[in-house]
Amino acid sequence: AISLRNGLEILLITDSKAEVGAACLLVEVGSNSDPEEAPGIAHLSEIVTLNTADKRMTDNHFEDLLLEDGGSVTAFTGKEHTIFSFQTPTDKFKDRLDLFAKLFNKRAFTVSQIQKGITRLDTSHQLHTSSDNWRIFQVLCHYASADHPYHSFTNGNSISLEFSSANSTRLASEVQAFFDIHYSSNRMKLVMYSDSTLEKMESNVLSSFGRLENHGGILPNFSKSPRPFVQEHMGKLILYTPISDMKRLSFFFPLEHSEATSQDSAAEFVSFFLRSKAPGGLFSYLKARGSI
């Protein structure tokens, strides 16, 4: 692992037998940072960030190149993180890595990019409305305390952002402000996988990502926010009618946030053991009883 002068932390993984190169960039901001009056701005920022920064090229130039290569690109906005990743054959990786890095340089978003981004945002929302997993997640968010950002509408759409052709310039300014504030190199983590040597990878990543700006972005701190679930939310049964043929019983346990346990991924360890199907685990016990 290395750290660049601009604060970007990087993990390099080399595999001489690798047939593809891949990179994943995490930005420490998500929908919890949406302004109260603009739910979905983090997700819209993610969508338009993937638009090519070079005005001489089409907005989807980077994605189109990867498709031509036989590669792919994905992005995801969570509550506290936004993740961008791509993969491509190793002989194309260095050039695509340079283009990938340029997406996160200081840039200006156009009204046209915002309008196209809104279309993709609405498409994403429509797809989520037919997903039971996403609907259950949003029900849980809606049930949370309205005073906590977890309550927010994570995906967003043209309605939540009050989008119209008349106010597209305003929305472009809001996305620009969100990007300029939160997309700072000191709030980014990068993982890179390639068949190159570690020395070559370090050289490549320095030339590509060393130019990203560190403008002192401060990591959002939600530990002082009201709890998303308080006593009045506990011990409740929420009945949900699925749109698919499914039966599910889910238990949700709100855990107190702790920086120490967060670093150790304590919740993930507990979740792993509860889900494990290994002998002696909860799954095998319930199955032996005929409960599942």
Side-chain angles (χ1 to χ4, degrees), residues 145-163:
S145 172
D147 295 329
H148 193 279
Y150 190 83
H151 180 80
S152 67
F153 178 24
T154 301
N155 191 92
N157 60 16
S158 55
I159 297 175
S160 70
L161 290 171
E162 300 181 351
F163 173 77

Side-chain angles (χ1 to χ4, degrees), residues 43 47 117-135 138 153-160 240 243:
H43 190 193
I47 290 172
I118 283 290
T119 299
R120 298 184 72 168
L121 189 72
D122 280 342
T123 299
S124 170
H125 174 60
Q126 288 302 317
L127 290 173
H128 285 153
T129 59
S130 60
S131 165
D132 279 309
N133 287 333
W134 188 265
R135 290 161 71 96
Q138 197 57 56
F153 178 24
T154 301
N155 191 92
N157 60 16
S158 55
I159 297 175
S160 70
Y240 166 81
I243 57 177

